[in-house]
Amino acid sequence: MAHEHHHHECSCSEHHHEHEHHHDHEHHHEESPRGQLITILAAAALLAVAVAIEHTFVLPMWQLLLIYLVPYLIVGWGTLREAVEGLMEGEAFNEHFLMAIATLGALGIGFLPGAEHEFPEAVFVMLFFQVGELFEGYAEGKSRESISHLMNIRPDVAHVVSESTEVNDVRPEDVTVGATILVRVGEKIPLDGVVVEGNSELNTIALTGETVPRSVETGDEVVSGCVNLSGVLRVRTTKSFGESTVSKIIRLVEDAGEHKSQSESFITKFARIYTPIVVVAALLLAVVPVCFGGNFATWLYRALMFLVVSCPCALVLSVPLTFFGGIGGASRRGILIKGANYMDVLSKIDTVVFDKTGTLTHGQFAVEAIHPDRFDEHQLLHLAAHVEHYTTHPIGAALRDAFPDEATDGCIVTDVQEIAGQGIRAKVGEMIVCVGNTKLMDAVGAQWHDCSHAGTIIHVAIDGQYAGHIVISDKVKEDSREAIAQLKALGVRHTVMLTGDRQEVGAHVAKQLGIDEWYAELLPGDKVEHVEKYLNASEQHSVAFVGDGINDAPVLARADVGIAMGGLGSDAAIEAADVVLMDDHPSKVALAMRVARRTLAIARQNVWFAIGIKLAVLVLAALGVATMWFAVFADVGVTVLAVLNAMRALKC
């Protein structure tokens, strides 16, 4: 069955790209969480053995160093390697460099004249760091699974019609421009082209996200990825497979991941500022007093101890744990946040761009209004539902849902005839009932008239006389208006709606929900362009895109933070997104922002609390008052308090 609606190109989106979000070079050598845990436990056990050996036997300093180096290298090898790589890449001041220089300093202190060794402390600090990394590893969804299941949407064969009208099956990549291809019912259109024979309806959902099929006839353009629903088509190709829409969508998704702006992790940002300050301060502490007659060994010891004390154990453990708690708390509220770095992005959202169908609306059609010219509303709907009884069309389903008792009312429906690109004609009792678009009305001579309602208009004629029309539209979700209002209350300056639907439908929904700006009749490439416009305009802020369909995957991947509907959403959207709303309520976008802001606030509390205590101990260390173990115990106490504070993030 066909109905009047927008004439859009259609395509499929496909993504077979291992889409990994690395926000920094330090994650190139990632271990699985299980591997990290085994490493930490092994190093902890070996540290305990080393301490037992030290207290049982009297050994020279270098032998003790060798014993402690075993657990140190087991737990710290990755950190040392990342520190060296950072130096080679000109990014020295990361957290790995800070941990490496402080722990190596602790290992070296014991060889200074009159100094006590700090071997256990060095291993202990590195263990702490790895525990923090472990929590971060659990909290972040860093590696993405390939969207290989989308390969079944990709057209894998083209039926080429030769001059002798013989049909040969070839790969879409091997079809030349200008060739004629045959597309049977139920098949995907493999290449972009123009219909030279036949008329049919195409499922456009993969491209536009709209569930109403599009009618095509001779002379109309069609694009790859659409599914042919009702009639056999002969298509003359106008583009090669590489230039066809389906290939372009694949590239859009893949390229978007590379261009996506990534917020650095909180601890990495902190380390970039903190590390150079600490290193320069330690160097000054070692050099300046000596210039004024100080003892070199004494001040070098204090400088090394200053470095050791400066290790932000409380931060490297409590900050990732805070994000872990925030992500856990969000998941209990039906929000899956795939990485700790997206918390930072979520907290700074300035512009939220929504797809319409399936995001702000249900994506399921329902009867909105009945406007009879003859009969009454009940009779008009009753007849239309009978005619549509045997179709699998989504509009037919909407009519049947609106009149569920059609099967038991005793009417006899015969001579059902589906007219491709127009609608359905059937005999209900003694009446000839036609249900379809304006083409069908013109064909039977019915004097139809248009409707002011936004939506898909289904015209009905009885025995050649116009009987009225039924308006079918996609219902707006109950909390969509509330979602927009909540975002405004949180300080989001700009809300935008993008849709593949018609202009009048887009305008109607945008006005209903109070959305600032809207664009209709868009293809996936157009959506990416619009989002990029906002990304370029909001460099200091974040741009979020909220969508649910295969057609949204490129845009979800391109935005600063992509938010997908997890219940109704396609697998492609869920894989490409950074945040997934498990129950499809758009109001959860505002909740995700609130969770992110609260989590970051707790993380900042931990940072300032830990730094305050740390500065006090550093001053004491510089003055020679604090011992190494005093510093360690102070640090452990701060860490415990910071971890307890981090646990509050779970209750978001």
Side-chain angles (χ1 to χ4, degrees):
M1 169 178 177
H3 299 287
E4 200 164 62
H5 52 278
H6 59 291
H7 287 269
H8 259 320
E9 290 185 340
C10 38
S11 167
C12 90
S13 160
E14 175 186 300
H15 182 34
H16 190 227
H17 179 57
E18 188 70 31
H19 186 147
E20 293 191 354
H21 289 263
H22 293 303
H23 55 262
D24 198 54
H25 78 276
E26 72 255 28
H27 299 305
H28 289 179
H29 305 290
E30 248 167 44
E31 239 186 314
S32 70
R34 187 179 174 185
Q36 277 183 299
L37 185 60
I38 291 168
T39 301
I40 289 166
L41 292 174
L46 288 168
L47 173 61
V49 170
V51 171
I53 290 171
E54 182 188 348
H55 286 86
T56 308
F57 305 100
V58 178
L59 297 171
M61 190 74 74
W62 66 270
Q63 288 181 1
L64 269 181
L65 174 64
L66 291 177
I67 291 168
Y68 279 103
L69 271 177
V70 175
Y72 176 79
L73 291 174
I74 285 173
V75 79
W77 176 250
T79 301
L80 294 172
R81 181 169 55 183
E82 295 290 358
V84 171
E85 284 189 8
L87 282 171
M88 291 169 68
E89 291 172 18
E91 294 180 17
F93 296 121
N94 57 37
E95 66 268 38
H96 297 283
F97 180 75
L98 175 62
M99 301 309 288
I101 197 168
T103 51
L104 290 172
L107 291 174
I109 279 178
F111 293 95
L112 290 175
E116 290 289 323
H117 75 78
E118 306 294 344
F119 300 148
E121 211 278 342
V123 183
F124 187 66
V125 165
M126 194 59 87
L127 265 173
F128 245 173
F129 181 59
Q130 289 305 322
V131 170
E133 289 275 286
L134 178 68
F135 277 116
E136 192 176 14
Y138 272 119
E140 289 186 6
K142 290 181 194 124
S143 67
R144 301 293 178 85
E145 288 181 11
S146 165
I147 311 178
S148 56
H149 47 262
L150 274 183
M151 292 303 284
N152 61 14
I153 293 170
R154 174 194 174 101
D156 48 15
V157 67
H159 310 300
V160 178
V161 183
S162 64
E163 288 179 13
S164 61
T165 70
E166 211 176 292
V167 179
N168 300 308
D169 290 354
V170 300
R171 294 188 319 147
E173 293 92 328
D174 299 334
V175 179
T176 56
V177 174
T180 301
I181 56 174
L182 193 71
V183 185
R184 301 184 180 111
V185 176
E187 292 183 337
K188 292 177 284 287
I189 294 174
L191 298 101
D192 295 9
V194 176
V195 178
V196 291
E197 186 184 318
N199 53 41
S200 182
E201 290 200 314
L202 304 179
N203 180 338
T204 72
I205 194 165
L207 180 69
T208 65
E210 307 309 316
T211 51
V212 181
R214 168 201 162 194
S215 307
V216 289
E217 55 189 30
T218 304
D220 286 344
E221 286 188 9
V222 293
V223 296
S224 51
C226 299
V227 178
N228 184 17
L229 295 178
S230 55
V232 177
L233 296 174
R234 282 176 185 251
V235 176
R236 187 181 71 252
T237 60
T238 54
K239 291 178 186 171
S240 65
F241 181 75
E243 289 303 309
S244 286
T245 307
V246 65
S247 299
K248 288 179 180 174
I249 301 303
I250 298 165
R251 287 199 293 273
L252 273 174
V253 179
E254 292 178 353
D255 294 347
E258 291 169 20
H259 296 140
K260 189 181 183 87
S261 72
Q262 285 301 321
S263 171
E264 285 182 303
S265 71
F266 194 95
I267 200 73
T268 306
K269 278 184 179 175
F270 168 77
R272 282 180 191 278
I273 300 163
Y274 183 76
T275 307
I277 293 171
V278 165
V279 172
V280 170
L283 284 171
L284 291 174
L285 193 60
V287 173
V288 173
V290 175
C291 295
F292 292 95
N295 181 276
F296 177 69
T298 302
W299 286 104
L300 182 59
Y301 174 75
R302 288 183 182 181
L304 285 173
M305 194 165 79
F306 182 93
L307 270 179
V308 175
V309 172
S310 70
C311 269
C313 297
L315 297 180
V316 298
L317 187 59
S318 70
V319 171
L321 195 59
T322 304
F323 286 112
F324 184 67
I327 289 171
S331 67
R332 288 209 296 271
R333 304 289 293 273
I335 302 163
L336 172 63
I337 300 170
K338 291 188 179 180
N341 48 328
Y342 300 120
M343 285 280 193
D344 199 23
V345 189
L346 276 168
S347 70
K348 292 189 220 155
I349 289 174
D350 176 65
T351 301
V352 180
V353 183
F354 289 93
D355 175 52
K356 179 183 76 70
T357 308
T359 304
L360 294 170
T361 65
H362 284 285
Q364 295 171 334
F365 284 82
V367 171
E368 187 179 280
I370 304 166
H371 298 152
D373 276 27
R374 298 163 58 197
F375 306 104
D376 59 23
E377 290 186 9
H378 180 271
Q379 287 174 308
L380 187 69
L381 182 60
H382 158 225
L383 289 167
H386 270 304
V387 171
E388 294 281 351
H389 183 69
Y390 298 102
T391 182
T392 55
H393 200 288
I395 283 174
L399 291 169
R400 290 196 302 275
D401 290 345
F403 196 88
D405 55 344
E406 57 177 316
T408 59
D409 63 5
C411 287
I412 297 167
V413 182
T414 55
D415 301 334
V416 179
Q417 181 187 0
E418 188 159 346
I419 303 158
Q422 295 185 10
I424 295 180
R425 179 181 183 275
K427 198 171 181 183
V428 182
E430 295 304 313
M431 294 179 288
I432 302 294
V433 182
C434 296
V435 181
N437 59 18
T438 54
K439 288 180 188 172
L440 184 60
M441 296 299 103
D442 292 338
V444 299
Q447 297 298 308
W448 59 274
H449 59 83
D450 217 336
C451 181
S452 59
H453 272 60
T456 302
I457 314 300
I458 314 302
H459 298 280
V460 183
I462 297 166
D463 294 329
Q465 298 294 310
Y466 190 61
H469 53 256
I470 298 164
V471 183
I472 288 183
S473 66
D474 189 1
K475 289 175 98 176
V476 170
K477 288 182 182 175
E478 295 71 21
D479 70 332
S480 289
R481 187 172 180 81
E482 181 195 341
I484 304 300
Q486 285 183 10
L487 290 172
K488 298 277 186 193
L490 283 171
V492 172
R493 287 193 304 113
H494 211 51
T495 53
V496 185
M497 185 184 77
L498 307 179
T499 179
D501 212 335
R502 291 178 296 144
Q503 291 285 348
E504 56 266 35
V505 175
H508 177 68
V509 173
K511 186 179 177 185
Q512 201 177 339
L513 301 181
I515 286 171
D516 299 328
E517 209 173 321
W518 59 274
Y519 300 93
E521 300 186 17
L522 302 175
L523 302 176
D526 302 329
K527 290 182 181 180
V528 173
E529 281 176 24
H530 279 290
V531 167
E532 282 186 338
K533 180 181 77 176
Y534 293 113
L535 286 167
N536 294 333
S538 307
E539 287 184 10
Q540 299 304 312
H541 301 281
S542 304
V543 175
F545 179 81
V546 192
D548 78 310
I550 296 164
N551 59 300
D552 296 324
V555 212
L556 285 161
R558 182 68 186 92
D560 288 323
V561 60
I563 304 172
M565 298 288 162
L568 291 172
S570 72
D571 290 345
I574 291 164
E575 289 292 351
D578 310 305
V579 178
V580 181
L581 309 180
M582 299 312 293
D583 54 9
D584 294 335
H585 292 159
S587 58
K588 288 287 176 74
V589 177
L591 179 59
M593 284 181 65
R594 285 198 296 273
V595 168
R597 288 180 182 182
R598 184 170 185 270
T599 303
L600 278 163
I602 293 171
R604 287 194 186 99
Q605 288 165 14
N606 282 342
V607 166
W608 292 116
F609 172 63
I611 287 178
I613 301 293
K614 186 70 69 178
L615 285 173
V617 177
L618 284 172
V619 170
L620 294 174
L623 297 173
V625 177
T627 63
M628 191 69 75
W629 281 106
F630 172 80
V632 172
F633 283 123
D635 200 31
V636 170
V638 171
T639 302
V640 170
L641 291 171
V643 166
L644 289 172
N645 190 38
M647 289 292 96
R648 293 194 305 120
L650 275 164
K651 297 174 182 174
C652 55

